[in-house]
Amino acid sequence: MANTDPDAGAARAGRKSYLSQSQAAFLLLLPFLAVYALFLVYPFFRGFWISLHDWNLLAVAFNPDAKEFVGLRNYERVMWGRNIEWAAFASPLLQGVGLLGMVAAAVLRYRGRISRATAVALATGSALLFLLPGFHPGEDGRWYDRRFWPTVGNTVLFVGLTVPGVTLTALILAAAMNRETRAMSVLRTLFFLSQVLSVTVVTLIWQIMFSPRQGLIANITEAFGGTPINWLTDEQFAMTAIVIATIWWSLGIAMILFLAGLQDISKDLYEAAALDNATGARAFWHITLPNLKRTITLVVILQIILHFQVFGQSHLMTQGGPNDTTQVLVRYIYQTGFRDSELGRASAMAVFLFVIMGGFSVLQFLVGREKE
Amino acid sequence: MKTILIGAAVAATVVTGATAQEVTLGRFFGACEDAGMDTKASVGEACIIQSIINAADAEIEGVSINTLPTDWGNYYDQIKAAYAGGTPPDVHVMHRHRVPEFAGLGALAEISGDLESVGIDPSDWTASARDAVTYEGGIYGVPMDLHANLWHVNMDIMAEAGLVDDGAPVLPSSPEELLEHAQMVKDATGHNYLAADFAQFPIGVRLVLALMWQQDANIFSEDGTATIDNGAARNAVTAITQLFDAGLADPQLNYADSQQSFLNGEAAVLVNGTWVVDFYSAEAAKEEVGLDNYYVADFPTLFEQGATWADTHMWAIPSPLKSDEDKYMAALKVLAFINDHNVDWARTGHMAVRTSVLESDEYNNLPHRDEYTGTARIARDTPPSERYGAIQDVLNRELQAIWLTGKPVGDALADAEIEVQDLLDR
């Protein structure tokens, strides 16, 4: 214990050799930085390096010279095509929403209704939504990789359904269970339990649940006289099925974060609100929600980053089918890298995924700094 | 550091030299707890292969076998990652269709010169089995079977529909007759005629491929041109979709559900491979299973010539193992043991690869064996390609799009042709 005392250390050295605060910080951070560099920074740059090559997984393993530097060609082959054109209204719905988003960001910021960071985020997102869907193959044109952008679309759809689903359900459950009774703590544990299961167990449970022959859902449907749905092989329901399984699985962490947020809200606020006749749903709307704003933002952004990396649910429950409707980005990267042995192409897609998630991390950073 | 490693390796060799040589074994077929060592009693692919491996572990002197996890789905991804990481299993099972990819890169050991030394006689293998393990003149594995798509038949349903003649099922000889039979079964019993996994694994792809081969067509040529958007493919697809359209088959069943529907006695015919013959026989014998009267038939000829999808399971040794003479010999002994037990593996329902086994009474007296003797003659597969897995995936996706999502046949075949051509051109 004495060794941690800086004075003792300095006395032993016989001269003043205090570490400056930043030196000490660096020293203490060193183990973390070393591990971080070795297992995250180096592999990232290595991955980027691989993405610039025509790199066959097996061939390079047996002959390191079998790779060929191709510059950005993998990116072109994955994301671009022949005779690609841009038009303002190639897909009117998405681009229209993007345009509206940009206008809304400008108006809301002008009126001071939203903070600068929120406005920038909204405007950037909307601009991308306006810009990206505008690209399409012109006459005689085609995408070089016909599966990539639909796969990105599926992934965005999955995130778009899962994140609100998890956030809303977790928020409602947290608000309902934010009481100091024994029953509630048992329930809290129960709802959290699903979170500790591995993806293989979760998908197995839900495959049985969704089975049209022996599943619980099919049995209930039949009891009410309906025909069971083939959840996992029906184009209309496959994505919904993996979203439901994912919401059930990832409720726990979001719920805990919300419970922590709820406990930070002072009881005085509710008492004051009660005097003004705001209880129940009105108190929730006017007291709870505004005070949870930062927790909600945190949960939403964490979930976005997490669910962009969805793999197991799609790989194990639907194998990306039917007809690629549940094919997601990480599964496509995995197939390209391991089944097709095209490590260069797979790495190019992985870099694309990194850029998306990096964008949301920056957003989280900006939002986190706000009002401080 | 290097000297420490070498020292440790030398010490390890000295220590283990006296004990058994450990051989790691990679396989799929699924897990079997308590497979035992009785290679004549186990049932189902997983348990039969594990009983053979357990027996090899016990009986081969100086060799102990460590079986790695046996998952199906990601088998080749794992094997490739293991090769890329420099730690492939010492022996592993694989399909004939993967030989171009693995042997083409020099990943597999060429073993033709060493077979006799462990008692494997390659001249006993059938011509198709020898072809299966041969790549550019060399032998890269020991074949274990010929497996193919069969028609598994519920004879009670067929009899009720009047489709049994002289103890054998009456099978269709044209797409029109297929529809007719299916309607007869529906009218007589209310059951579906045909069940198969059309929604998950590429069983539906293999069905369509067989019907294309029956018209002397193929999905791509040896020189690498995709030929999918054509009349033969359209005929093959519509032969099947006519059943879905008429409500005589269900495209939404996956592997487990289609199998369950057949075992429950809810389908007259299940299209599935040779690997389930002993399992279905055992199930049919059970009181509580809906299927009672089980029959196995060759895939019927609906067009000009007979054809059914087929492949071969084989065992290979990674090429780097050749530098470790002792371990290499131990691995070869394991392959020899499996080769010696060819008749036991054939109990699954697979066809044996050794002429001496094919001619033996033990083989010919296996249950249902005399019911699908034509299959070996009509066995087919697509031309060899390093992109076999990806091509099957394209076909599976586009065919599923037709029967699960209502994509027009012409669009799906045109898209499949473009994508397969992309893969062949890469």
Side-chain angles (χ1 to χ4, degrees):
Chain A
M1 280 308 280
N3 285 346
T4 55
D5 182 355
D7 287 333
R12 204 164 351 111
R15 61 191 164 86
K16 271 197 171 272
S17 69
Y18 289 115
L19 287 174
S20 75
Q21 205 169 12
S22 58
Q23 280 170 325
F26 180 73
L27 202 65
L28 291 171
L29 275 173
L30 204 60
F32 164 76
L33 286 177
V35 171
Y36 185 74
L38 191 64
F39 289 103
L40 283 159
V41 179
Y42 169 71
F44 171 73
F45 284 104
R46 174 90 173 157
F48 181 69
W49 177 241
I50 292 175
S51 79
L52 303 177
H53 290 78
D54 184 3
W55 187 305
N56 182 299
L57 175 70
L58 274 184
V60 176
F62 282 93
N63 172 19
D65 298 328
K67 56 182 180 281
E68 185 195 343
F69 185 84
V70 293
L72 294 176
R73 211 185 70 192
N74 282 322
Y75 292 88
E76 189 197 0
R77 288 277 143 187
V78 167
M79 292 166 207
W80 201 241
R82 195 175 61 219
N83 292 348
I84 298 298
E85 294 168 355
W86 190 86
F89 288 97
S91 44
L93 184 68
L94 290 177
Q95 288 181 285
V97 172
L99 208 56
L100 283 180
M102 283 193 285
V103 173
V107 170
L108 289 174
R109 179 63 196 144
Y110 181 72
R111 291 194 184 165
R113 295 285 295 273
I114 52 175
S115 67
R116 204 178 59 160
T118 317
V120 169
L122 183 61
T124 316
S126 305
L128 286 175
L129 199 57
F130 178 67
L131 191 68
L132 292 181
F135 290 105
H136 61 96
E139 217 169 306
D140 288 333
R142 54 163 297 195
W143 295 104
Y144 292 131
D145 185 335
R146 293 149 51 100
R147 294 177 73 194
F148 180 72
W149 290 111
T151 300
V152 173
N154 292 340
T155 315
V156 171
L157 176 66
F158 175 83
V159 172
L161 291 173
T162 307
V163 172
V166 169
T167 312
L168 276 179
T169 327
L171 184 58
I172 292 167
L173 282 175
M177 292 190 292
N178 187 26
R179 268 172 259 160
E180 297 301 319
T181 64
R182 180 159 303 187
M184 286 304 157
S185 67
V186 170
L187 278 178
R188 282 199 294 266
T189 316
L190 273 183
F191 276 106
F192 188 74
L193 265 185
S194 66
Q195 185 91 43
V196 301
L197 299 175
S198 83
V199 67
T200 41
V201 177
V202 171
T203 52
L204 200 63
I205 292 173
W206 281 94
Q207 279 183 72
I208 297 170
M209 290 280 278
F210 285 128
S211 164
R213 302 194 71 83
Q214 62 235 19
L216 179 70
I217 298 174
N219 284 335
I220 294 173
T221 325
E222 273 181 332
F224 285 99
T227 15
I229 298 166
N230 282 289
W231 283 87
L232 299 177
T233 52
D234 191 310
E235 193 183 23
Q236 315 273 330
F237 295 101
M239 183 60 92
T240 318
I242 67 170
V243 167
I244 291 172
T246 309
I247 292 177
W248 179 81
W249 184 34
S250 39
L251 267 181
I253 291 289
M255 197 183 71
I256 294 296
L257 287 171
F258 282 134
L259 279 168
L262 285 171
Q263 271 152 29
D264 272 352
I265 303 175
S266 162
K267 293 271 184 301
D268 304 350
L269 285 173
Y270 288 103
E271 281 166 16
L275 290 178
D276 285 338
N277 210 13
T279 52
R282 286 177 68 181
F284 181 79
W285 187 255
H286 292 289
I287 308 289
T288 314
L289 272 188
N291 281 292
L292 271 184
K293 218 176 112 190
R294 293 183 61 121
T295 317
I296 294 173
T297 317
L298 176 75
V299 166
V300 166
I301 292 177
L302 283 181
Q303 297 280 332
I304 289 175
I305 295 172
L306 178 72
H307 291 305
F308 256 107
Q309 302 170 70
V310 57
F311 170 68
Q313 298 92 306
S314 152
H315 191 59
L316 297 169
M317 289 174 74
T318 58
Q319 287 85 40
N323 188 25
D324 258 8
T325 43
T326 56
Q327 174 79 334
V328 289
L329 203 46
V330 177
R331 185 168 188 268
Y332 197 32
I333 294 171
Y334 169 80
Q335 283 188 324
T336 310
F338 290 99
R339 188 196 62 195
D340 304 344
S341 301
E342 294 185 75
L343 227 46
R345 253 177 117 106
S347 301
M349 295 183 208
V351 170
F352 174 83
L353 181 62
F354 171 83
V355 169
I356 294 185
M357 295 196 305
F360 281 103
S361 302
V362 169
L363 185 65
Q364 188 205 0
F365 185 70
L366 289 178
V367 172
R369 273 161 51 114
E370 226 172 281
K371 287 188 209 154
E372 277 185 356
Chain B
M1 191 62 194
K2 203 171 181 185
T3 49
I4 295 174
L5 281 179
I6 292 170
V10 169
T13 317
V14 171
V15 171
T16 55
T19 61
Q21 183 72 250
E22 196 198 71
V23 171
T24 51
L25 180 144
R27 68 167 180 88
F28 38 77
F29 301 122
C32 177
E33 311 278 334
D34 307 322
M37 280 186 285
D38 187 347
T39 58
K40 305 279 177 203
S42 38
V43 174
E45 273 188 316
C47 289
I48 291 180
I49 193 63
Q50 196 56 46
S51 68
I52 294 174
I53 294 167
N54 291 348
D57 180 54
E59 289 173 31
I60 307 175
E61 221 158 286
V63 174
S64 76
I65 303 174
N66 174 18
T67 308
L68 301 172
T70 53
D71 176 41
W72 267 109
N74 307 310
Y75 179 75
Y76 284 106
D77 306 335
Q78 286 172 1
I79 283 280
K80 277 191 197 173
Y83 269 104
T87 54
D90 301 325
V91 296
H92 66 84
V93 77
M94 60 188 283
H95 289 94
R96 166 191 197 151
H97 72 248
R98 296 281 174 162
V99 171
E101 184 181 1
F102 281 82
L105 292 166
L108 304 181
E110 205 284 312
I111 54 175
S112 59
D114 305 310
L115 291 171
E116 263 98 8
S117 69
V118 289
I120 301 174
D121 175 11
S123 66
D124 192 23
W125 295 340
T126 62
S128 87
R130 215 173 14 254
D131 276 355
V133 294
T134 304
Y135 180 80
E136 292 182 350
I139 292 182
Y140 290 90
V142 171
M144 181 160 73
D145 63 41
L146 175 68
H147 56 267
N149 252 359
L150 300 170
W151 279 31
H152 304 266
V153 184
N154 182 331
M155 290 297 274
D156 290 330
I157 295 182
M158 294 296 263
E160 227 179 307
L163 289 169
V164 174
D165 181 30
D166 201 14
V170 179
L171 297 182
S173 61
S174 68
E176 296 75 29
E177 217 170 64
L178 174 69
L179 186 64
E180 205 177 294
H181 287 191
Q183 195 60 55
M184 286 162 76
V185 166
K186 187 60 115 186
D187 293 344
T189 67
H191 290 311
N192 280 344
Y193 179 73
L194 191 89
D197 171 10
F198 289 106
Q200 189 179 10
F201 300 116
I203 305 254
V205 173
R206 295 165 184 175
L207 228 163
V208 168
L209 283 175
L211 296 179
M212 284 183 73
W213 297 325
Q214 293 194 354
Q215 303 168 73
D216 204 18
N218 215 333
I219 49 165
F220 61 94
S221 58
E222 298 264 358
D223 65 5
T225 311
T227 48
I228 303 171
D229 188 10
N230 54 40
R234 218 159 306 220
N235 291 341
V237 170
T238 45
I240 296 167
T241 50
Q242 61 173 354
L243 297 181
F244 301 144
D245 295 343
L248 306 171
D250 181 357
Q252 291 196 323
L253 300 183
N254 62 16
Y255 189 86
D257 288 334
S258 61
Q259 175 165 283
Q260 199 55 48
S261 128
F262 179 69
L263 292 176
N264 285 357
E266 295 162 7
V269 172
L270 175 73
V271 184
N272 199 357
T274 45
W275 48 87
V276 281
V277 172
D278 74 322
F279 172 61
Y280 293 172
S281 308
E283 288 294 298
K286 288 181 187 165
E287 189 66 41
E288 70 274 16
V289 172
L291 171 71
D292 292 320
N293 206 342
Y294 171 56
Y295 191 96
V296 185
D298 294 320
F299 196 105
T301 308
L302 301 186
F303 296 95
E304 293 91 51
Q305 60 192 49
T308 188
W309 165 86
D311 203 335
T312 284
H313 291 127
M314 52 179 278
W315 291 85
I317 299 177
S319 57
L321 206 69
K322 271 201 154 175
S323 56
D324 182 346
E325 180 69 18
D326 292 340
K327 192 157 248 190
Y328 175 63
M329 287 315 288
L332 273 173
K333 280 182 201 162
V334 175
L335 299 201
F337 190 91
I338 294 172
N339 191 55
D340 288 342
H341 286 76
N342 197 222
V343 71
D344 296 325
W345 179 244
R347 293 195 305 107
T348 51
H350 291 315
M351 286 159 282
V353 289
R354 295 175 55 193
T355 318
S356 57
V357 171
L358 288 166
E359 286 167 355
S360 69
D361 288 342
E362 186 183 1
Y363 178 80
N364 287 302
N365 291 334
L366 287 171
H368 302 287
R369 186 59 68 176
D370 54 338
E371 295 164 5
Y372 56 103
T373 48
T375 296
R377 194 175 38 78
I378 59 171
R380 286 282 303 266
D381 201 3
T382 52
S385 166
E386 289 167 23
R387 307 224 169 254
Y388 188 95
I391 291 172
Q392 291 268 315
D393 189 49
V394 169
L395 294 173
N396 203 19
R397 238 174 323 115
E398 293 298 340
L399 290 175
Q400 282 181 15
I402 294 173
W403 42 65
L404 296 178
T405 69
K407 186 169 180 177
V409 177
D411 293 358
L413 295 178
D415 284 350
E417 180 163 301
I418 295 172
E419 288 206 26
V420 169
Q421 190 64 57
D422 278 355
L423 288 169
L424 293 169
D425 290 343
R426 266 192 209 171

